[in-house]
Amino acid sequence: MTLEFFQAYWWLIVAVLGGILVFLLFVQGGQSMILDAGDDTRRNLIVNSMGAKWELTFTTLVTFGGAMFASFPLFYSTSFGGAYWLWICILFSFILQAVSYEFRRKKGNIYGTGTYDVFLFINGCLGCILLGVAVSMFFFGGSFTVSRGSLLDGAAPVVSHWDNPSHGFEAIFNWRNLILGIAVLFLARMQAAIYMMNNIVDDPSFFKSLKAKAFINGGIFVVFFLWFLALLLTTDGYTVISDSFRTTQIEVEPYKYLHNFLTIWQTAVMLLLGVVLVLYGWARSCFAKKYTKGIWFTGIGTFLVVVALFCVAGYNDTPFYPSLTDPASSLTIHNASSSEFTLRVMSYVSILVPFVVAYIAYVWYSMDRKKLSPKSLKKSDHQY
C-alpha cells in the first residue's frame, strides 16, 4: 500500500460521499416546492416529509467537507479559502435550513411559518445550484495560483492565491457551471416528487400533482444534464505529464474527459447504468398508474453517475481542480493530498464507513416504516 494507493483510495471515498450527497439533495428539491404547494395541509406535508431527512443531507455535506480537508488539504485551502464567497453562500443557505426546521412551528415564533417556508425555499434552490457550481469547477476550473515557496515567506506564508477579486462569485455566473447547477436543482426536484409519491399516502389528488411535477422537472433535468455531458465530453482538459509534491507539469489534451471514460471503461459503464436507472425510475413513476418505488432506481442511478463523474475528474493523470490562470498550479490527487502517514491512519478509520451507511439505512427504514398522510400529520405530536 503506497502513497499513490492511499491517494486514489481517498479520492474514491470522496466520490462515494459526493454521490450520497447529491442523492440526498432531494430534501432541498422538496423544499423548493413549498411555496407553490397550494394549501397549508400540503405545505405541511412537504415540510414534514423532507424534515425527516434533512439532517442526513446536512451531515453528509459536513462529512464530505471534512474528508476533503483531511485527505486533500491543498484543495480545501485553495477552494474554501480562495473562492470563499461561493462557500459562504452555500453555508448560509444551509444555516437557513437548520434554523427553519428548528423554529418553524415552535411556540413563540414571532415571524410566522411563512417566513421560514421562504427560508426553506431559498435553501432548496440556492443549495442545489451552488453545490452544482462547486462540483462543476472540478471540470471547468477556477482562477487560482499555487506557490509553495510562499511557505518560507514569514510575512505572508500563504500557499495558494485566488486570482479573481470576486473570490468565487465569478464561478456562480459562469454559464458552464450554471448548467450543472440547474441540472442538480431539477434532479433534486424530480427525486423529491418521486420520494413523496412513496412517503405520503391517502391523498390521491396530491399524488397526481406529484406525478406531474416529477414529469416536468425530470424532463428539464434531462435537457440540462445532456447539455452538461456534451460540454464535458467535447471540452479540452489538462493532463499531467509529470507530478510531484513540489512541481507539476501540465499539458492541454483535447477531449480529455472523453478519453478518461474510454480509458477507465468501468466509469463509462457506471455512468450508462446510472443514467438508465434514473430514466427508468423517472419514466415508470410518471407513466405507471400507481408506482411508488421509483426513488430507489433514481437514487441508485444518481449515486452511480456522480461517482463516475468524480472518478474521471481525478483519475488517469487528470487534475481534479484545474487552474485557469496557471495550469501548472492545477491540483491533482498527488500534489494536493496529505502525507502517507495521515492517509494511512485515516484509512483505518474509514473501515467504519460501512457501519455508518448501515446506520443511515436503519434510520431511514425506521422513519419511513410509517407513511405520512394528512390524518396522521394532524394527530402527530411533533411537526416541523
Side-chain angles (χ1 to χ4, degrees), residues 42-80:
R42 289 188 177 180
R43 185 174 296 186
N44 289 330
L45 281 172
I46 293 176
V47 171
N48 284 273
S49 179
M50 298 298 105
K53 299 293 189 299
W54 80 269
E55 290 171 318
L56 296 179
T57 309
F58 194 90
T59 303
T60 305
L61 175 62
V62 173
T63 306
F64 176 83
M68 289 297 292
F69 169 73
S71 54
F72 302 101
L74 186 54
F75 164 78
Y76 192 89
S77 64
T78 300
S79 182
F80 287 69

Side-chain angles (χ1 to χ4, degrees), residues 215-238:
F215 176 74
I216 295 171
N217 288 283
I220 297 173
F221 157 70
V222 169
V223 171
F224 276 91
F225 179 73
L226 290 178
W227 190 1
F228 166 77
L229 202 58
L231 283 174
L232 181 66
L233 296 179
T234 57
T235 192
D236 293 343
Y238 293 157

Side-chain angles (χ1 to χ4, degrees), residues 142-147 163 238 250 322-331:
S143 302
F144 63 90
T145 302
V146 174
S147 178
D163 299 323
Y238 293 157
I250 302 289
S323 172
L324 301 178
T325 53
D326 179 24
S329 295
S330 299
L331 304 184

Side-chain angles (χ1 to χ4, degrees), residues 7 11 65-83 87 138 144-151 157-162 243-248 319-323 326-339 342-343 346:
Q7 289 165 338
W11 185 251
M68 289 297 292
F69 169 73
S71 54
F72 302 101
L74 186 54
F75 164 78
Y76 192 89
S77 64
T78 300
S79 182
F80 287 69
W87 292 105
F138 286 152
F144 63 90
T145 302
V146 174
S147 178
R148 297 182 186 275
S150 299
L151 281 174
V158 180
V159 175
S160 55
H161 304 268
W162 202 261
D243 195 5
S244 67
F245 181 77
R246 294 185 176 275
T247 60
T248 302
F320 69 85
Y321 207 55
S323 172
D326 179 24
S329 295
S330 299
L331 304 184
T332 71
I333 63 174
H334 303 300
N335 66 16
S337 74
S338 295
S339 66
T342 302
L343 295 178
M346 291 195 307

Side-chain angles (χ1 to χ4, degrees), residues 7-29:
Q7 289 165 338
Y9 172 77
W10 272 100
W11 185 251
L12 181 61
I13 294 292
V14 167
V16 169
L17 291 172
I20 296 173
L21 175 61
V22 175
F23 162 58
L24 290 175
L25 284 178
F26 75 82
V27 173
Q28 275 62 37

